[in-house]
Amino acid sequence: MSVTEGPGAVEVPWSVIPDYHCFGCSPHNPTGLGLRFTPRADGALVAVFALGRAFESYPGVVHGGLIGVVCDEVMGNLIVLARNVAAFTVTQRTRFLTPLLIDHEYRCVATLSPERGAGPMQAHAEILDADDAVCASSSATYQPFDLHAVRDHLTLDDNEVALLDHALSTANTFSPNASSPNTSSPNGARP
């Protein structure tokens, strides 16, 4: 796995927990993807990546399940960064247009649907190749959650909940999706 980190990459709020091991975005997980996220001026969130043979399905082709993971990570982190709330994935649908090849660089770009009040949120992601051709697309629904309400499921102690609450309310800032009426400053990501 190689990750290209562009200028303006944001730190996810879960990084305040020194030993977080998210498969998608933690630098502490040696078998994970180590994705890094860069916000765009239009409110999209981007992760550039290349997956090696450890993530292979058919010879020379990236396993399709991992494409869903990459899309979920970028969409989920965009929700946290743009809407200041952590959320669980409720449903996800991924469409594969062309196989992704191992050791080739791709870009996952996530956007949010406009807010419709409290409750589930919608996001969309596309994986693009070096020529900007869409190789895969994914859409998902996310249910926001309160850290205090789910802390036992996440195995967080009081100090970690306090650190994450603070990170969600004070971290990174970028403009939300142009189609979103929300103008609050974003701050973090989900594991």
Side-chain angles (χ1 to χ4, degrees), residues 99-191:
L100 273 69
L101 304 176
I102 61 166
D103 298 323
H104 282 70
E105 189 171 270
Y106 295 94
R107 183 172 77 256
C108 182
V109 180
T111 57
L112 293 175
S113 296
E115 286 188 84
R116 294 182 286 183
M121 294 177 263
Q122 307 291 315
H124 180 78
E126 292 183 332
I127 296 190
L128 306 162
D129 66 14
D131 297 323
D132 287 332
V134 177
C135 300
S137 65
S138 189
S139 58
T141 301
Y142 294 84
Q143 180 63 49
F145 64 85
D146 174 38
L147 288 170
H148 299 278
V150 301
R151 63 172 282 189
D152 292 331
H153 297 290
L154 299 177
T155 62
L156 298 171
D157 64 30
D158 290 338
N159 184 49
E160 291 167 333
V161 169
L163 286 169
L164 286 169
D165 269 342
H166 181 72
L168 284 168
S169 65
T170 62
N172 309 305
T173 303
F174 72 96
S175 299
N177 185 315
S179 65
S180 170
N182 183 331
T183 58
S184 61
S185 55
N187 328 58
R190 79 178 199 34

